[in-house]
Amino acid sequence: MHRAILFSIIALVPAGFAADASAPSRVNNPSAAERFAKPSDALTAREDLYWKRTPLEVPENIVLEASGIAPIAGKRLLVTTRRGEIWWVDGAYAAGDTVKPKFTLFASGLHEPLGILPAPSPRKGYYVAQRQELTRLEDTDGDGRADVFETVAKLPISGSYHEYNFGPVLAPNGNFRLSLNVAFGGATQAPAPWRGWMVEITPDGQLMPIAAGLRSPCGILVTSQGAWFYSENQGEWVGSGRITHVEPGDFGGHPAGLAWSRTPGSTVKLRPDDIADFGEPMHEVAKKVPGVKPPAVWLPHTVLGISNAGMIEDLTGGKFGPFAGQLFVADQGQSKIARVALEQVRGVWQGMAIAFREGFECGIIRLAHGEDGVLFAGETARGWGAVGSKQQGLERLTWTGKTPFEIKAMRAQPDGFTLTFTTPVDRATAENPASYSVGGFTYLYHKAYGSAPVNRLACPVRKVVVAPDGLSVRLALACLREGYVHEVKAPGLRAAGGAEPLLHPVAFYTLNRLPAGDRIVPLDPKEAELCVSPIVEAALGHTAKHPLRAPGDWINDEGDKQILLGTQPGLKFDQTLLTVKAGARVRLIFKNTDDMLHNFVLCAPGRGQAVGEAAMALGTEGAAKHYVPDSPDVLFHTALTLPETSDTIFFTAPSKPGDYDYVCTFPGHAQLMKGILRVE
Ligand SMILES: [Cu+2]
């Protein structure tokens, strides 16, 4: 839950920087550890049968931190880099596993451009968002190099490395939209006007603020239906990654930008004082505070990414596969792509999010569909770390023409959901209610960095109806809750006529509104009693492995040995070697002085990383278990401990001498946050 801000520490640190202990805690970078969440080889091998991934070779003298991709007619690409260059790329569509495109410099010296757009006719050239301005570039003499650099609109910056400028995206009215990242930390995160806003700029440079409350809005998109969305990263005030629908006057949740809401031209009525450290689900706050806009779709943290980035709508008309009209959402930290199917219910956008493709070489920040439905992914890991072997790059994803058995979409119903499939389902497994497990949860809206999933509640299956053609299943459920994410797991489903399971068996539907319409089960009058929402995850009580009391045979609470174990920024315990005598009575005080959540889990010798992986596999259920998996390899553990709090446990050291691993099992931490308890 505490993946650092997507665009953190870039300007401060060299390439390849990982979780260096010397980094101040304010710019802590947990992604550097979360990148070790290596995808399953079995899954990526299956995914590759349907969507083939091809890295494009880049000459060694080019650092292609691809930050913007414009497909140009004639199978060419224009690619911006974070180092301020723009390259022509020819040959990116060539057949074969080894593709070596030709790179020709178009422009250089720009200030971290993060997007590029061909000028709409009759204007000429290309629009590029630099940190400090929207710029029009043109090659007027036809030599392949830009020779006009025209400032369209200035965008004030204070100099914080975190003031990214995402876009431009062409609006249906011919204007451009940009989303302006907030600065990092400090007394204000919006030191310059319109930081934390989505703004619209006319071709002659007039700026119109559209919406506030953005934090790190790396993805910005207008759909073919004219609806605007931005993608957001987990962080302070942002419980998990998400996609939010934007209308003029909206407030997306991060209060920094409200500093400018009184400025002439502001469309936003909320003021900084209107936003408190609520600590409630965001959809509940939205009922009380008009203007607060809950997301259309939550992207559960560590499951569908840790730093959601560029988005595109599939407008390939089927050339990229069976998901025409849906969105693809890149993730930087986990180097993967999620898929989102939106619908509008009672005027509110909502929908399903599901895994699509992982196993890329580096973190993806930009996606673009080229000719023939080919998808290009622009990649960079500098400053944050990402899954994969490369620090930057450009990859291609091509549909092989084969269709996997997938949940194509989910639609809300007054009493449940309709799941549609890419190919017909096997009736026997589809009609069995035990094939489905559904539960709801949400995230807290508060000042702290990220949120665990809270208010988890199971949704018992009441009825299943399989369509005659086998292409959809209607599920009636109990305990649906508006505002909540509904997680549907269906690993037992099979495709018709075979044993093929779903390629991705878990989908997440953010149910902002229940639709009107026909029910397939009557309302259960007892449902209100049945579905009492649980209290926010309770503190972890005393158990055999979480011993909060000294055993009765101890003479006093001190035992034989006291250990005070702390934490340090950069995913570290403050000690990596603890020594105790075999069978000693140990009182261990775990004091978390870092600004993120951590725990202490003592494991069997050599089993620390396996326990860390098992914790990761808990998915959204992990938070309720304090990320401690049920495993014989776990000997003793503390609770997941909030910043500036502690948890004390009392245990008897193993009688067998050896080096016992201890790790923090918060997803992604174990690889770095580890030590040895030496039993002598
Ligand atoms: Cu940790």
Side-chain angles (χ1 to χ4, degrees):
M1 74 175 254
H2 41 244
R3 150 85 175 148
I5 297 74
L6 167 56
F7 288 105
S8 66
I9 55 178
I10 293 159
L12 303 180
V13 294
F17 175 90
D20 184 328
S22 65
S25 64
R26 303 270 331 178
V27 291
N28 217 334
N29 185 5
S31 68
E34 281 167 329
R35 68 183 166 161
F36 293 110
K38 189 172 172 293
S40 140
D41 291 341
L43 176 61
T44 53
R46 270 185 82 198
E47 289 174 340
D48 214 44
L49 296 174
Y50 306 104
W51 281 274
K52 185 166 173 44
R53 188 180 63 78
T54 310
L56 306 182
E57 276 190 29
V58 178
E60 269 182 23
N61 61 336
I62 301 173
V63 183
L64 199 79
E65 293 172 338
S67 58
I69 304 169
I72 307 293
K75 297 200 168 177
R76 310 189 77 193
L77 304 176
L78 266 177
V79 175
T80 62
T81 78
R82 286 175 58 205
R83 304 212 174 187
E85 293 164 346
I86 307 178
W87 292 89
W88 284 112
V89 183
D90 291 287
Y93 293 75
D97 290 338
T98 306
V99 177
K100 294 185 181 179
K102 186 176 151 222
F103 289 79
T104 315
L105 193 65
F106 176 66
S108 62
L110 301 166
H111 193 171
E112 197 154 29
L114 293 173
I116 180 167
L117 179 74
S121 179
R123 285 171 267 160
K124 292 197 173 68
Y126 306 92
Y127 287 84
V128 172
Q130 301 188 63
R131 280 182 175 231
Q132 78 287 11
E133 64 172 58
L134 177 66
T135 313
R136 191 183 70 85
L137 282 70
E138 192 181 344
D139 167 20
T140 57
D141 61 8
D143 68 351
R145 283 291 283 266
D147 45 55
V148 168
F149 294 76
E150 175 193 339
T151 300
V152 179
K154 292 263 191 202
L155 300 159
I157 51 175
S158 73
S160 164
Y161 70 89
H162 207 245
E163 287 172 315
Y164 300 96
N165 180 6
F166 304 107
V169 171
L170 184 65
N173 62 9
N175 293 339
F176 304 98
R177 286 213 188 170
L178 302 166
S179 57
L180 307 180
N181 218 88
V182 296
F184 195 85
T188 173
Q189 289 177 272
W194 313 120
R195 283 286 143 190
W197 288 66
M198 180 182 288
V199 300
E200 188 164 311
I201 293 172
T202 65
D204 62 359
Q206 302 297 314
L207 183 148
M208 294 173 291
I210 299 293
L214 286 64
R215 181 182 171 278
S216 196
C218 183
I220 170 172
L221 171 107
V222 58
T223 68
S224 51
Q225 298 176 55
W228 286 91
F229 294 90
Y230 73 95
S231 66
E232 184 65 278
N233 278 226
Q234 186 193 57
E236 66 281 352
W237 300 100
V238 184
S240 177
R242 62 197 187 197
I243 297 170
T244 302
H245 176 226
V246 183
E247 294 170 296
D250 279 344
F251 170 71
H254 192 291
L258 293 179
W260 304 101
S261 67
R262 283 193 181 86
T263 308
S266 164
T267 47
V268 174
K269 297 197 169 60
L270 287 170
R271 299 291 179 257
D273 289 350
D274 294 329
I275 303 303
D277 194 358
F278 296 103
E280 298 169 65
M282 196 174 186
H283 66 272
E284 297 292 348
V285 174
K287 291 174 191 167
K288 300 184 288 195
V289 185
V292 170
K293 188 81 167 256
V297 170
W298 287 102
L299 300 162
H301 190 68
T302 74
V303 180
L304 293 182
I306 52 176
S307 48
N308 309 107
M311 301 186 281
I312 55 162
E313 181 180 2
D314 184 345
L315 298 173
T316 66
K319 288 181 178 166
F320 188 62
F323 305 123
Q326 299 189 6
L327 307 188
F328 293 102
V329 186
D331 190 71
Q332 192 274 329
Q334 293 188 326
S335 308
K336 64 190 187 184
I337 302 173
R339 175 166 64 86
V340 168
L342 293 164
E343 64 174 344
Q344 211 173 8
V345 174
R346 287 161 49 206
V348 177
W349 285 100
Q350 58 188 39
M352 176 194 79
I354 191 167
F356 172 65
R357 184 69 171 86
E358 58 189 285
F360 290 83
E361 287 186 336
C362 181
I364 307 171
I365 63 168
R366 286 288 171 261
L367 296 173
H369 265 131
E371 294 172 38
D372 304 327
V374 171
L375 184 73
F376 292 99
E379 301 171 338
T380 170
R382 176 161 56 93
W384 322 298
V387 171
S389 56
K390 297 270 174 73
Q391 281 296 304
Q392 65 274 321
L394 184 62
E395 293 192 68
R396 187 175 84 183
L397 198 65
T398 316
W399 184 42
T400 61
K402 296 190 192 109
T403 297
F405 177 44
E406 287 266 49
I407 299 172
K408 186 173 179 181
M410 280 175 67
R411 285 198 304 277
Q413 299 290 355
D415 51 3
F417 298 101
T418 295
L419 278 64
T420 60
F421 300 94
T422 52
T423 62
V425 286
D426 161 60
R427 296 200 80 83
T429 53
E431 282 170 350
N432 181 359
S435 294
Y436 312 89
S437 137
V438 184
F441 65 88
T442 188
Y443 298 97
L444 294 179
Y445 177 36
H446 57 193
K447 188 178 178 186
Y449 199 106
S451 163
V454 297
N455 298 359
R456 182 175 287 278
L457 190 62
C459 300
V461 178
R462 296 182 64 197
K463 188 174 182 179
V464 181
V465 179
V466 181
D469 62 6
L471 285 170
S472 67
V473 167
R474 173 97 180 246
L475 286 183
L477 302 160
C479 310
L480 296 170
R481 290 173 294 173
E482 284 190 336
Y484 281 76
V485 185
H486 290 77
E487 179 179 27
V488 177
K489 297 181 181 175
L493 278 190
R494 293 292 178 270
E500 187 188 356
L502 287 163
L503 183 57
H504 301 102
V506 185
F508 299 88
Y509 188 99
T510 301
L511 183 67
N512 286 319
R513 297 287 185 276
L514 280 162
D518 295 332
R519 303 177 63 93
I520 58 170
V521 290
L523 263 174
D524 179 348
K526 291 210 198 82
E527 185 162 317
E529 297 163 39
L530 194 75
C531 303
V532 176
S533 174
I535 306 197
V536 176
E537 314 298 352
L540 190 65
H542 173 88
T543 68
K545 291 188 180 183
H546 181 228
L548 292 173
R549 302 186 289 271
D553 58 349
W554 288 25
I555 301 157
N556 57 40
D557 279 358
E558 263 81 79
D560 306 320
K561 169 104 181 175
Q562 289 211 59
I563 297 172
L564 178 63
L565 181 65
T567 57
Q568 287 179 347
L571 302 176
K572 287 180 192 261
F573 292 107
D574 67 352
Q575 296 161 79
T576 53
L577 180 64
L578 305 170
T579 309
V580 297
K581 291 205 166 62
R585 290 170 286 203
V586 180
R587 179 186 189 216
L588 184 139
I589 303 151
F590 177 59
K591 187 164 186 341
N592 183 12
T593 49
D594 190 26
D595 60 359
M596 306 187 302
L597 301 178
H598 301 290
N599 64 14
F600 163 89
V601 179
L602 181 64
C603 308
R607 299 301 294 164
Q609 294 313 306
V611 168
E613 281 166 30
M616 182 92 77
L618 292 171
T620 60
E621 284 165 17
K625 295 173 182 267
H626 291 233
Y627 296 103
V628 179
D630 297 321
S631 162
D633 290 331
V634 172
L635 306 182
F636 301 101
H637 62 86
T638 67
L640 189 64
T641 306
L642 291 165
E644 300 304 334
T645 62
S646 66
D647 193 38
T648 300
I649 57 173
F650 303 83
F651 63 91
T652 303
S655 54
K656 197 173 157 201
D659 284 353
Y660 290 75
D661 289 350
Y662 61 87
V663 291
C664 168
T665 57
F666 188 93
H669 291 197
Q671 188 90 19
L672 290 176
M673 198 161 177
K674 60 186 179 183
I676 295 285
L677 177 78
R678 181 160 292 160
V679 176
E680 295 176 339

